[in-house]
Amino acid sequence: MSTAPLLCEGRVVIVTGAGRGLGRAHALAYAAEGARVVVNDLGVGLDGTPGPGSPARQVAEEIRAAGGEAVAHGGDIATTEGAASLVRTALETYGRLDTLVNNAGFLRDRMLVNLDEDDWDAVMRVHLKGHFLPLRHAAAHWRAEARAGRTPRARVVNTSSGAGLLGSVGQGNYSAAKAGIIGLTLVAAAEMGRYGVQVNAIAPAARTRMTEDAFAGTMAAPDSPGAFDAMAPENVSPLVVWLGSDACAGVTGRVFEAEGGRITVMEGWRPGPSADKGAHRSPSEAGDTALKLLAAAEVPGAVYGAQ
C-alpha cells in the first residue's frame, strides 16, 4: 500500500507567534507534513507584556515528541536583531529556509478617541513591523541564493484579518496594521517573484486568545463529541500549509479568508463605476458625478461592530 508524500517533506519553515492559538496550530500542521519548524514566540500577554514560561519551547517539544523536528526561538521579531536571529536560527540549525509564516500579534483595543499613541505604536510595531522585518531578512537570504544560481522555491504567508479588509469598531490600530499587511504582501509578491519567492496573505477567523473576547458567545466549541468545531484554529492551518509548500506554485499576491470549512479568495480594491468629463469640474459637478457613480456601485461590506 503506497503512502502519499508529505506536502512539506524537506522544507524548513519559520512560524512567528507559534506558542499558542493559530501559530501553534500552523507549526504542528507543518511538522505533520514533514517540515522542520522554527517555532518563534516571545511569550507575552495579549497586551504585549512578557508572560511566564516559554510557549515556543513547549510547542517545539510537542513536535519532537510526535517524531518531528523543531527548534524554539524566543527573540523579538519586531527588532532588527530579533528578526535577523530568527532567520539565522533556521539557517544554522537546518542549513536552509523555505517558508516564512508571519503570525505574531496582540491587541490593545480602544475607541479612536481613547486610543493613545502608545497603544497605536505598540500594535503597529508587533503586527506591521513584526511582519516587515522577518520578511526583509528572509527575502535578503533568498535574493542572495537566487543571485548565486540557487533560485529557491520560497513561500511567505502573512496574516491579515477581516478587520484589515473591512475595519472593526474599537480596533483602529489593529485594522490599520492588518490593512498595511495586505499592502506589504502585494508589494513583496511583485518585488520578490523574480527571486523565486511567492507571497500571499490570509485573513483567518478562529478561536484564539485574541478573539475570544471580541466574539464572546459566538465562538464556543461544540458540546457533542466528534462535532465539527468551526472556530478551531486547526481549520485555518491546512490552507497555510499549502501556501507554504511547493504545491502552490504560481499562486502569489493573493489574499484568502479562512474560517471553519470555508475558504474565500478575497478580491480587493479595483476600479468600479467611472466617469471622465475630459475637462475641469466645479465642486458641485464633482459631487453630482460622485453621487451618480455611487448609485451604480456595489455597497461596501459593513465594518465589524458597526450599528
Side-chain angles (χ1 to χ4, degrees):
M1 179 174 162
S2 63
T3 302
L6 297 175
L7 201 60
C8 294
E9 188 72 56
R11 293 182 72 83
V12 174
V13 178
I14 288 173
V15 183
T16 70
R20 304 179 179 90
L22 282 166
R24 173 182 174 274
H26 299 341
L28 295 175
Y30 271 109
E33 287 292 336
R36 293 168 286 177
V37 185
V38 179
V39 181
N40 164 265
D41 200 289
L42 189 57
V44 299
L46 286 176
D47 63 353
T49 56
S54 175
R57 185 172 293 111
Q58 292 172 12
V59 173
E61 290 173 352
E62 188 175 355
I63 290 172
R64 290 193 292 268
E69 295 184 58
V71 62
H73 179 272
D76 182 356
I77 46 82
T79 67
T80 295
E81 177 51 38
S85 168
L86 177 64
V87 172
R88 193 163 58 243
T89 296
L91 298 177
E92 292 179 353
T93 305
Y94 299 119
R96 60 184 296 138
L97 173 61
D98 300 286
T99 298
L100 168 65
V101 179
N102 283 315
N103 170 78
F106 66 84
L107 298 175
R108 288 192 182 177
D109 293 351
R110 301 282 190 280
M111 300 298 280
L112 286 173
V113 295
N114 297 320
L115 184 63
D116 63 34
E117 188 174 354
D118 288 343
D119 293 331
W120 176 273
D121 288 346
V123 169
M124 285 293 173
R125 176 185 180 274
V126 173
H127 285 276
L128 194 50
K129 193 175 181 181
H131 271 61
F132 160 65
L133 286 175
L135 174 56
R136 176 185 180 276
H137 287 279
H141 165 70
W142 289 324
R143 182 182 64 176
E145 288 291 286
R147 288 179 171 177
R150 299 183 296 269
T151 302
R153 296 190 303 276
R155 308 287 187 260
V156 178
V157 185
N158 291 330
T159 305
S160 183
S161 167
L165 298 168
L166 295 173
S168 180
V169 172
Q171 294 187 312
N173 48 3
Y174 178 74
S175 297
K178 289 304 191 182
I181 287 168
I182 294 174
L184 177 64
T185 298
L186 301 180
V187 172
E191 291 184 355
M192 296 305 298
R194 73 191 73 178
Y195 303 119
V197 184
Q198 294 180 189
V199 187
N200 295 284
I202 61 162
R207 184 179 55 253
T208 70
R209 290 193 307 161
M210 283 176 50
T211 59
E212 60 187 3
D213 290 336
F215 297 102
T218 66
M219 302 183 71
D223 295 330
S224 56
F228 176 56
D229 182 0
M231 290 294 104
E234 290 77 11
N235 296 326
V236 176
S237 299
L239 177 61
V240 175
V241 170
W242 182 78
L243 288 171
S245 74
D246 281 343
C248 75
V251 179
T252 193
R254 306 307 294 261
V255 179
F256 297 84
E257 197 171 54
E259 176 183 353
R262 179 175 59 85
I263 295 173
T264 304
V265 177
M266 304 304 291
E267 297 180 340
W269 293 107
R270 61 185 64 215
S274 178
D276 184 358
K277 180 181 178 182
H280 178 77
R281 288 188 175 91
S282 71
S284 293
E285 289 175 319
D288 289 341
T289 300
L291 289 173
K292 291 176 182 177
L293 295 176
L294 287 169
E298 292 187 13
V299 177
V303 173
Y304 290 113
Q307 299 299 318

